[in-house]
């Protein structure tokens, strides 16, 4: 393989050969475009749009559009994309992943394809990992787009209503992956088209593409509503499980029967991350809760609670998987080390952890809408991304997203020295060696960035450094508020920084320190508020004199510190640059590469080394037993490092095993969600047709016919004629809907001359007669509005229940494998049947509601005025500011239209419980 690469080059090198001629054309236009006036340069946008409308393709326009954007960036920001950045821009435009090292200026690269693709008028989405980066980039790079006559939008947490509409209508929209995904789901829960915000999914550029499309893709996006009150069962079960004894094993052999002498109550399989009750544990549970058999179907709920409680106790670790802050359990993202506010573990696991930690157990939630990131991003006609580390996940990007990766060379040669790993017999020896290495670097002023994989490990290392009297900063999920500041100053002379995973931090480590943050600190000392400092360092257009003065003071302070830093940066370079010290290998090689990539930016010197031990989780759980045995036999002491090629290979093999396992998990999640996705597309497409104003009269007539036909044929079966008792049962659901209690009571004799079609026509004529009368009484426009609202309400209610049913089906479907059946095939088959049943139930319920609902016309008119004006209309034609009253009356046993899932009489919402509805 190595010989073939030398002969023919890597796939990236071959791709770059076809891209360089395009870049040459862009660079050839540099002098010509530099000579244009601002007005002439700005006029290029209208020219390109006209040429695109006239039939030219984006590829035809690329050299000129890139040259225009490049010149605009120089005039507006004082930044001109390098040749390698132009290469990255071409790769993104082609719908691929550009792998660019840290510090290569990916933010500026995105402006080139974003400008080019915005010329189509369909909109471009630029996706970032957090609100801060989205806001910063939209304001900073937004100056270039605005200069060229394009509009820029921002979609982050807190942006709502008209602002969000405007953001999506813009030519280029910046936002986070969560907001884009949730907005898509919310759009597909809207009752009115005006409530929808997204317009199309034409082109997306995903920053930190590996973090968003790989790491975050393990958990789907879920919009939840309040479900039932949390029961005391979580607390009761937790107090029982707390008294059980657990035993951790590296892995469980499922083929091997349980040891009859097992003394533990539950077994924790660390490798598979599963927890199971032993026979002894089951017996204790049956005794505690007075059960004959825990596995009986009526004990399913209790069994589920016990399983989640032993998972919470046996697997989920505080300060590793989650933290407890202000009385809340908050998940820690294992890849970025950040707190994931607003995210909760599903299926009762979060409540089980809350019970374990003795904080308030929150209400259970009901899924209202859900989608995986994989299926959301596959909605885009063209998808591209950029990151510093993607090659290790090449297979997954290709399989899941049909994306290939092009490795972009660095602007300056990489000067970082990556030392081979050193492995110690145990953790104690490893930590002593780490402290020695830090002391050695610290003595010569070389800054050190220490990477750990958990909060627990970062705090342990911090204590060891305190004992040695070494000043240092700790960055983990507990003190993430100071994140940018700590990262920015990690390159100062003699700095020691201990940090959990460094993915997607969005702040460069500058040798000698970061002038931006030193300037901010000076302004803070001078008494300037954080809000004003944020404005002073922002890029938003403003006429506010206070902000303009603050910006002037900030610019002066920053330039002063830049001069001061130069000499310190030279000292750091003399000391060897930033030293990256990894305290153990992460499950993913990509996260290790991200840590390494923090050193050696833009040609700076740097070093990296990983310190490992045979007791590290990855070696303990996934390492080869033969290698472990060999190390034991060598009789090496704790403080002697083992440098064996065989050992390095074993570590990489272990990482590949974990990566493969995680890929299979995500692939598995996607296989199941693909079934849901097909159904989701059907439901959402129909919803959109309704929202787009499609006349539903013909659909209603078809539903009425279908519901009656199904009932008649279902009760007649293979017979030629129906008896009176069967006919009575067939039309029973229609009494009180479109049949009166004493209507169509046919005898056996009357039924003898009527076949199935004749009976369908007979019942249908009555239904259509009543339907016509109702339409005449309400008027066609109001009838269409009623049909529209009823259909959307029913579809949403039944879709929510269907989501719950599909989740339950999936939880048990794995057991089908024991019967030699493929669980995914079984899930598809049963899921399809459940979907068909749901569609039939939606038709039946929609028909029922349209007939039985009573409408007060004046209140409907008032609501319709309110929808247009935002206020409610009075009967005299004036507009009064009073609460809008609802359209319909609901039966006491009907589901409440608010979407809570509760019957109307039990629901406590204010929205559908006004006085006139009692």
């Amino acid at each position: 393989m190595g010989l073939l690469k030398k002969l023919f080059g890597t796939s990236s090198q071959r791709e770059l050969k076809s891209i360089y001629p395009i870049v040459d054309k862009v660079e050839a236009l540099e002098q010509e475009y530099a000579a244009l006036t601002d007005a002439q340069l700005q006029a290029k946008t209208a020219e390109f749009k006209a040429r695109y409308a006239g039939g030219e393709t984006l590829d035809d326009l690329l050299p000129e559009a890139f040259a225009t954007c490049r010149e605009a960036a120089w005039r507006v920001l004082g930044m001109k994309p390098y040749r390698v950045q132009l290469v990255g821009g071409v790769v993104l435009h082609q719908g691929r992943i550009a792998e660019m090292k840290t510090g290569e200026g990916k933010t500026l690269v995105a402006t080139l394809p974003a400008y080019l693709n915005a010329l189509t008028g369909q909109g471009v989405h630029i996706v970032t990992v957090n609100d801060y980066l989205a806001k910063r980039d939209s304001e900073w790079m937004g100056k270039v787009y605005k200069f060229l006559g394009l509009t820029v939008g921002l979609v982050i947490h807190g942006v709502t209503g008209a602002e969000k509409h405007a953001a999506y209508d813009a030519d280029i929209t910046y936002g986070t992956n969560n907001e884009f995904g949730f907005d898509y789901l919310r759009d597909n829960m809207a009752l009115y088209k005006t409530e929808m915000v997204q317009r199309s999914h034409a082109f997306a550029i995903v920053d930190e593409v590996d973090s968003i499309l790989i790491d975050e893709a393990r958990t789907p996006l879920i919009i939840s509503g309040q479900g039932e009150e949390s029961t005391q069962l979580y607390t009761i079960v937790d107090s029982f499980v707390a008294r059980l004894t657990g035993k951790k094993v590296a892995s469980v052999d499922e083929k091997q029967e349980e040891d009859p002498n097992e003394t533990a109550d539950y077994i924790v399989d660390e490798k598979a991350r599963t927890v199971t009750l032993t026979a002894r544990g089951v017996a204790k549970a049956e005794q505690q809760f007075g059960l004959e058999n825990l596995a009986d179907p009526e004990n399913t709920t209790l069994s589920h609670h016990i399983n989640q409680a032993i998972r919470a106790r046996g697997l989920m670790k505080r300060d590793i998987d989650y933290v407890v802050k202000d009385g809340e359990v908050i998940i820690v993202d294992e890849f970025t080390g950040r707190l994931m506010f607003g995210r909760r573990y599903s299926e009762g696991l979060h409540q089980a952890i809350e019970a374990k930690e003795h904080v308030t157990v929150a209400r259970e939630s009901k899924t209202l809408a859900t989608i995986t990131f994989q299926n959301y991003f596959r909605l885009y006609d063209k998808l591209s991304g950029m990151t510093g580390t993607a090659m290790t996940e090449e297979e997954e990007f290709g399989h899941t997203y049909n994306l290939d990766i092009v490795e972009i060379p660095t602007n300056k040669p990489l000067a970082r020295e990556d030392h081979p790993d050193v492995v110690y017999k145990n953790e104690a020896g490893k930590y002593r060696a780490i402290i020695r290495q830090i002391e050695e670097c610290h003595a010569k002023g070389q800054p050190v960035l220490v990477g750990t994989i958990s909060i627990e490990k970062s705090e342990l290392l911090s204590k060891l450094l305190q004992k040695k009297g070494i000043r240092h900063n700790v960055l983990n999920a507990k003190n993430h508020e100071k994140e940018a500041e700590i990262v920015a100053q990690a390159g100062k002379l003699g700095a020691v920084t201990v940090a959990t995973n460094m993915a997607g931090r969005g702040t460069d480590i500058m040798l000698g320190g970061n002038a931006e943050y030193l300037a901010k600190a000076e302004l803070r000392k001078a008494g300037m508020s954080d809000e004003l400092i944020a404005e002073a360092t922002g890029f938003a257009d403003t006429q506010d004199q206070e902000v303009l003065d603050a910006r002037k003071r900030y610019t002066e302070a920053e330039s002063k510190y830049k001069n001061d830093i130069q000499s310190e940066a030279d000292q750091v370079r003399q000391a060897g640059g930033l030293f990256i010290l990894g305290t153990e290998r992460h499950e993913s090689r990509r996260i290790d590469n991200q840590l390494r990539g923090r050193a050696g930016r833009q040609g700076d010197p740097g070093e990296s080394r990983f310190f490992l031990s045979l007791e590290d989780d990855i070696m303990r759980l996934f390492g080869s037993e033969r290698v472990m045995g060999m190390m034991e036999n060598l009789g090496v002491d704790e403080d002697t490092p083992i440098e064996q090629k065989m050992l390095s290979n074993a570590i990489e093999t272990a990482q590949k095993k974990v990566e493969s396992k995680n890929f299979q998990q995500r692939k598995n999640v996607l296989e199941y969600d693909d079934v849901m996705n097909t159904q989701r597309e059907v439901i959402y497409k129909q919803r959109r047709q309704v929202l787009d104003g499609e006349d539903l009269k013909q659909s209603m007539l078809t539903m009425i016919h279908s519901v009656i036909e199904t009932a008649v044929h279902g009760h007649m079966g293979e017979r030629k004629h129906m008896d009176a008792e069967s006919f009575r049962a067939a039309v029973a659901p229609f009494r009180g809907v479109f049949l009166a209690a004493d209507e169509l009571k046919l005898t056996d004799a009357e039924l003898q001359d009527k076949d199935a079609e004749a009976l369908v026509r007979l019942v249908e004529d009555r239904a259509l007669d009543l339907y016509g009368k109702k339409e005449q009484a309400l008027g066609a426009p109001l009838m269409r509005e009623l049909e529209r609202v009823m259909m959307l309400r029913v579809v949403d209610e039944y879709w929510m229940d269907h989501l719950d049913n599909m989740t339950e089906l999936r939880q048990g479907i794995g057991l089908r494998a024991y019967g030699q059946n493929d669980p995914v095939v079984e899930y598809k088959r049963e899921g399809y049947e459940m979907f068909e049943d749901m569609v039939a139930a939606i038709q039946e319920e929609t028909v029922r509601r349209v007939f039985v609902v009573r409408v007060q016309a004046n209140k409907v008119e008032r609501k319709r005025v309110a929808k247009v004006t935002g206020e409610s209309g009075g009967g005299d034609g004036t507009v009064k500011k009073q609460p809008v009253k609802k359209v319909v009356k609901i039966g006491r046993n009907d589901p409440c239209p608010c979407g809570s899932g509760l019957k109307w009489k039990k629901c406590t919402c204010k929205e559908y419980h006004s006085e006139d509805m009692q």
Side-chain angles (χ1 to χ4, degrees):
M1 193 69 180
L3 180 63
L4 287 174
K5 277 188 180 175
K6 280 178 185 174
L7 288 172
F8 302 109
T10 63
S11 62
S12 291
Q13 287 166 341
R14 292 194 297 276
E15 291 298 331
L16 289 172
K17 282 180 184 175
S18 65
I19 291 170
Y20 286 139
I22 303 170
V23 173
D24 291 339
K25 287 180 186 174
V26 178
E27 290 186 321
L29 295 168
E30 184 174 354
Q31 296 306 316
E32 180 188 334
Y33 280 60
L36 298 175
T37 64
D38 283 359
Q40 288 172 323
L41 193 64
Q42 289 163 337
K44 287 286 179 185
T45 301
E47 179 197 321
F48 295 148
K49 283 183 176 180
R51 284 165 58 186
Y52 178 77
E56 287 193 51
T57 66
L58 292 181
D59 287 345
D60 295 333
L61 296 171
L62 189 151
E64 293 167 82
F66 272 33
T68 301
C69 189
R70 191 181 188 218
E71 181 60 30
W74 176 246
R75 294 186 191 187
V76 176
L77 304 175
M79 301 161 79
K80 184 173 283 188
Y82 305 126
R83 182 176 174 82
V84 291
Q85 289 174 305
L86 294 174
V87 172
V90 175
V91 169
L92 293 178
H93 164 66
Q94 291 174 343
R96 308 159 100 170
I97 292 172
E99 182 176 284
M100 303 181 74
K101 300 291 179 244
T102 302
E104 291 295 305
K106 292 189 282 289
T107 307
L108 185 61
V109 170
T111 60
L112 301 161
Y115 172 69
L116 173 63
N117 284 266
L119 298 172
T120 64
Q122 292 179 291
V124 174
H125 292 172
I126 300 182
V127 189
T128 66
V129 289
N130 60 48
D131 287 353
Y132 163 72
L133 289 177
K135 186 172 187 297
R136 183 198 73 177
D137 294 354
S138 70
E139 292 173 355
W140 188 15
M141 299 298 130
K143 289 180 181 295
V144 178
Y145 306 128
K146 287 172 185 172
F147 175 81
L148 291 169
L150 298 179
T151 53
V152 183
L154 174 64
V155 179
I156 55 175
H157 187 67
V159 174
T160 55
E163 285 180 29
K164 189 164 273 190
H165 267 284
Y168 279 111
D169 285 342
D171 295 308
I172 294 158
T173 307
Y174 282 84
T176 61
N177 50 317
N178 286 339
E179 282 302 311
F180 282 123
F182 282 134
D183 283 339
Y184 171 73
L185 293 176
R186 281 190 284 261
D187 276 1
N188 286 290
M189 294 168 67
L191 264 185
Y192 294 89
K193 194 175 181 184
T194 52
E195 294 170 3
M196 298 176 72
V197 292
Q198 289 188 346
R199 55 186 177 124
S200 65
H201 294 89
F203 178 44
I205 300 171
V206 184
D207 192 12
E208 301 295 350
V209 66
D210 51 342
S211 178
I212 291 173
L213 297 191
I214 302 288
D215 301 338
E216 300 230 9
R218 283 165 77 171
T219 50
L221 285 173
I222 298 172
I223 290 184
S224 299
Q226 284 198 335
E228 298 172 8
E229 286 282 355
S230 258
T231 62
Q232 285 293 307
L233 199 51
Y234 287 108
T235 312
I236 294 165
V237 168
D238 180 71
S239 63
F240 160 67
V241 168
R243 299 194 298 272
L244 299 182
T245 55
K247 183 169 90 176
K248 290 185 179 180
V249 296
S251 67
V252 173
D253 185 350
E254 292 182 4
K255 295 174 185 172
Q256 192 176 325
E257 288 191 14
E258 187 185 308
D259 182 355
N261 300 317
E262 180 58 69
T263 56
D265 298 313
Y266 59 88
I267 303 290
V268 180
D269 181 339
E270 292 186 283
K271 191 171 183 178
R273 286 191 67 77
T274 57
V275 189
T276 46
L277 280 176
T278 61
R280 177 188 165 106
V282 170
K284 282 188 179 180
E286 288 168 348
Q287 183 185 357
Q288 171 73 25
F289 296 102
L291 309 173
E292 279 187 31
N293 184 359
L294 182 62
D296 283 346
E298 59 266 29
N299 299 326
T300 304
T301 302
L302 178 62
S303 177
H304 176 70
H305 275 69
I306 292 172
N307 284 334
Q308 295 298 48
I310 59 177
R311 275 193 76 197
R313 293 255 169 200
L315 270 184
M316 310 309 290
K317 296 174 187 166
R318 184 168 175 164
D319 290 346
I320 294 177
D321 300 296
Y322 64 90
V323 297
V324 178
K325 190 173 183 180
D326 302 327
E328 278 187 80
V329 171
I330 301 164
I331 301 173
V332 175
D333 185 332
E334 65 171 301
F335 292 97
T336 64
R338 281 197 176 88
L339 296 181
M340 299 169 77
F341 293 98
R343 297 285 280 269
R344 291 176 64 81
Y345 293 115
S346 58
E347 297 167 19
L349 177 59
H350 211 96
Q351 283 88 345
I353 296 170
E354 287 168 335
K356 164 191 164 185
E357 296 293 347
H358 306 295
V359 300
T360 305
V361 179
R363 266 180 94 136
E364 291 174 31
S365 58
K366 181 179 176 67
T367 300
L368 307 183
T370 178
I371 192 170
T372 56
F373 276 122
Q374 290 100 321
N375 276 322
Y376 173 70
F377 282 105
R378 292 198 302 195
L379 291 170
Y380 286 92
D381 300 331
K382 184 164 74 173
L383 180 65
S384 66
M386 46 191 183
T387 180
T389 47
M391 275 299 177
T392 55
E393 312 293 345
E394 192 171 13
E395 183 190 354
E396 185 162 354
F397 279 121
H399 177 273
T400 305
Y401 302 100
N402 200 24
L403 285 171
D404 65 334
I405 301 164
V406 179
E407 210 171 348
I408 314 293
T410 53
N411 184 45
K412 293 178 181 175
L414 187 67
R416 186 186 67 236
E417 186 179 355
D418 296 326
H419 299 290
D421 299 350
V422 286
V423 186
Y424 289 82
K425 188 175 177 181
N426 56 30
E427 280 202 334
K430 176 181 81 171
Y431 279 116
R432 283 195 290 272
I434 287 169
I435 298 297
R436 282 197 299 272
Q437 178 70 67
I438 294 171
E439 283 180 315
E440 188 183 310
C441 293
H442 194 59
K444 61 179 179 177
Q446 185 175 15
V448 185
L449 175 64
V450 185
T452 66
I453 66 163
S454 69
I455 299 169
E456 185 184 48
K457 296 283 168 72
S458 66
E459 290 180 346
L460 167 64
L461 202 54
S462 177
K463 284 175 186 169
L464 295 174
L465 288 169
Q466 281 170 4
K467 280 183 187 174
K468 291 286 184 179
I470 298 172
R471 287 185 61 187
H472 61 282
N473 284 312
V474 179
L475 173 58
N476 57 37
K478 285 187 174 178
N479 62 347
H480 67 104
E481 292 87 356
K482 295 180 179 176
E483 174 184 311
E485 201 171 325
I486 292 172
V487 173
Q489 302 308 342
K492 282 187 73 63
L493 193 69
V496 177
T497 310
V498 180
T500 49
N501 303 329
M502 294 298 296
R505 292 285 176 193
T507 307
D508 271 354
I509 298 175
M510 318 284 273
L511 298 189
N514 189 310
E516 178 189 338
Y517 288 90
L518 291 169
K520 280 183 185 177
E522 183 177 300
L523 297 183
R524 206 170 280 119
K525 277 182 189 170
M528 196 178 285
S529 68
D530 286 343
E531 291 76 15
L532 189 54
I533 291 171
E535 289 287 346
T537 56
F539 300 95
D541 293 327
T542 182
Q543 298 301 319
D544 186 323
Q545 193 56 47
E546 187 183 17
V547 174
L548 293 172
D549 291 342
R551 283 185 180 174
K552 187 182 175 190
R553 285 183 64 186
Y554 166 74
T555 306
E556 288 168 357
E558 187 186 29
S559 60
K560 178 187 79 175
Y561 283 115
K562 272 184 179 170
N563 292 331
D564 295 348
I565 280 168
Q566 281 309 313
S567 61
E568 191 172 328
D570 290 337
Q571 287 177 271
V572 172
R573 287 189 187 94
Q574 291 295 318
L578 180 65
F579 192 104
I580 301 292
L581 194 157
T583 58
E584 63 188 275
R585 287 284 190 180
H586 193 272
E587 284 184 355
S588 166
R589 287 170 295 164
R590 195 164 35 83
I591 307 297
D592 293 341
N593 292 340
Q594 283 171 351
L595 178 63
R596 271 205 165 115
R598 289 287 164 182
R601 62 177 298 284
Q602 285 292 335
D604 283 338
E607 295 178 72
S608 74
R609 171 164 266 161
F610 279 83
F611 287 72
L612 316 174
S613 88
L614 296 180
E615 292 178 351
D616 291 349
D617 286 348
I618 195 153
M619 289 303 293
R620 196 167 50 81
L621 301 178
F622 296 94
S624 154
E625 286 182 19
R626 190 165 59 88
V627 172
M628 309 293 240
M630 188 185 81
M631 293 303 115
E632 286 293 324
N633 295 335
L634 285 173
V636 180
D637 67 44
E638 286 185 3
D639 294 311
T640 304
I642 309 158
E643 292 190 46
Q644 286 266 348
K645 182 72 178 164
M646 184 180 174
L647 206 52
S648 300
N649 291 343
I651 293 162
E652 190 165 338
T653 303
Q655 286 181 303
K656 283 179 180 174
K657 275 187 198 171
V658 184
E659 285 167 9
S660 174
K661 176 171 154 278
N662 290 340
F663 175 30
Q664 285 306 319
Q665 279 179 358
R666 287 189 290 268
K667 201 170 160 187
N668 195 36
V669 166
L670 187 59
E671 279 183 330
Y672 285 105
D673 192 63
D674 280 344
V675 178
M676 281 299 299
N677 201 47
T678 308
Q679 300 176 3
R680 186 189 296 115
E681 283 172 0
V682 172
I683 292 290
Y684 286 1
K685 185 180 175 186
Q686 289 179 347
R687 275 189 112 268
R688 196 150 297 215
Q689 286 170 349
V690 174
L691 289 174
D692 284 342
E694 186 179 287
D695 190 329
L696 293 182
K697 182 169 184 176
Q698 191 52 52
S699 296
M700 282 304 305
L701 297 178
T702 304
M703 281 188 201
I704 291 168
H705 176 79
S706 176
V707 166
I708 295 168
E709 187 178 51
T710 302
V712 170
H713 281 281
H715 284 82
M716 182 173 271
E718 298 297 317
R719 293 175 293 169
K720 288 187 178 178
H721 302 288
M722 202 184 288
D723 57 42
E725 188 179 344
S726 297
F727 183 70
R728 209 164 38 246
V731 298
F734 308 138
R735 299 208 182 278
V737 179
F738 50 76
L739 289 180
D742 57 349
E743 205 174 359
L744 283 185
K745 289 195 170 180
L746 302 183
T747 63
D748 284 338
E750 289 171 315
L751 287 162
Q752 282 306 303
D753 62 343
K754 290 181 174 59
D755 63 8
E757 294 310 313
L759 290 174
V760 169
R761 280 196 303 275
L762 181 66
V763 179
E764 191 175 353
D765 286 345
R766 302 296 171 98
L768 295 180
D769 180 52
L770 186 59
Y771 179 83
K773 287 175 181 173
K774 187 156 194 166
E775 182 171 351
Q776 199 172 0
L778 292 176
L782 196 50
M783 188 69 174
R784 297 294 84 79
E785 174 75 356
L786 174 68
E787 289 164 353
R788 198 187 69 76
V789 172
M790 286 298 102
M791 184 179 279
L792 290 176
R793 287 286 187 202
V794 173
V795 165
D796 288 351
E797 287 168 24
Y798 278 75
W799 176 243
M800 288 171 209
D801 288 339
H802 182 67
L803 290 175
D804 285 346
N805 295 337
M806 290 293 281
T807 301
E808 284 182 26
L809 172 65
R810 192 184 154 190
Q811 282 170 359
I813 205 82
L815 299 173
R816 307 287 174 91
Y818 291 111
Q820 306 302 308
N821 294 317
D822 184 338
V824 176
V825 172
E826 292 287 298
Y827 181 74
K828 282 180 183 174
R829 184 179 59 77
E830 291 200 24
Y832 176 75
E833 289 170 7
M834 287 165 64
F835 185 72
E836 291 287 292
D837 291 344
M838 178 194 70
V839 170
I842 285 173
Q843 290 183 342
E844 193 175 324
E845 183 62 13
T846 304
V847 168
R848 190 186 75 78
R849 288 200 196 177
V850 166
F851 276 102
V852 302
V853 76
R854 285 173 292 161
V855 179
Q856 294 178 319
N858 64 323
K859 288 184 178 167
V860 172
E861 289 305 316
R862 196 152 60 231
K863 177 181 167 75
R864 295 182 77 196
V865 171
K867 273 291 165 192
V868 177
T869 64
E871 298 165 339
S872 56
D876 58 357
T878 60
V879 175
K880 298 176 182 175
K881 294 192 176 181
Q882 61 186 42
V884 178
K885 291 182 179 172
K886 298 297 166 187
V887 185
V888 297
K889 287 197 173 184
I890 308 118
R892 294 178 64 76
N893 288 312
D894 286 348
C896 184
C898 71
S900 65
L902 300 173
K903 288 181 179 176
W904 182 85
K905 64 183 179 184
K906 289 188 175 179
C907 189
T908 57
C909 81
K910 299 283 188 289
E911 195 179 4
Y912 290 90
H913 288 70
S914 55
E915 287 177 18
D916 64 306
M917 294 180 126
Q918 298 303 325

